Amino acid sequence: EMKFLKDASQVSVETLTNDINNIATKVRAITEQIVVAGTDFQQQMAFFLKEANVEVVDLEEDLRDIEMIRVDLATFFCEDIKTFKLEECFKIIQTFCDRLKKATEENVHRRIQEAKAESRRRSREMDSRRSSSVTDLLGLNLHELDSSTMDKMLADVRSGFVSRKFNDRNFSITKVA
């Protein structure tokens, strides 16, 4: 994962260059102005100004490196060197990474859904096999039953399987104390 890609796509090299040039100008101006100040102040600021000048030189070198990388990338992607911008390149790569991540997540979700669907299909298949095996055990062939027999069986099912062989008088309810 490219952690800083989004941040890099939001910062232009031109802005960085302007900011670094402004800082370099200010550090150099302060270095020149400190000569006028007293020796005590010069000694206190000497270490800071020395470090600031080193940092500015490092930043300027980094800018030159970035420019070389920009030119190399423009050449690699067959883009016009004059108009190629790194932030646009980073935005394109960021968009690609986001879409790739989204597609990967969607594929995982789709596989899970397919597995669930396959499980439901197998379950229905097993239920169908059990149902047909029960009718085979009972010796019933539902396709061969005539409609009146089927209607009678459905009526029995709806009424709760009350058997015609037994009347209510054959059963008694006694209260157990």
Side-chain angles (χ1 to χ4, degrees), residues 8 25 61 86 97 108 110 117-118 125 129 174:
T25 303
E61 287 177 24
L86 285 176
C97 289
V108 168
R110 180 184 45 79
E118 179 65 20
E125 201 173 272
R129 286 182 190 160
T174 57

Side-chain angles (χ1 to χ4, degrees), residues 120-137:
R120 287 191 301 270
R121 185 192 62 77
R122 279 193 231 127
S123 176
R124 282 192 304 269
E125 201 173 272
M126 292 299 290
D127 289 347
S128 174
R129 286 182 190 160
R130 279 190 220 124
S131 174
S132 67
S133 66
V134 167
T135 56
D136 290 347
L137 285 174

Side-chain angles (χ1 to χ4, degrees), residues 28 43 62 104 116 143 159 170-171 174:
R28 289 184 186 116
Q43 289 173 351
D62 290 343
T104 303
K116 287 179 182 177
H143 297 294
S159 66
N170 291 344
F171 297 101
T174 57

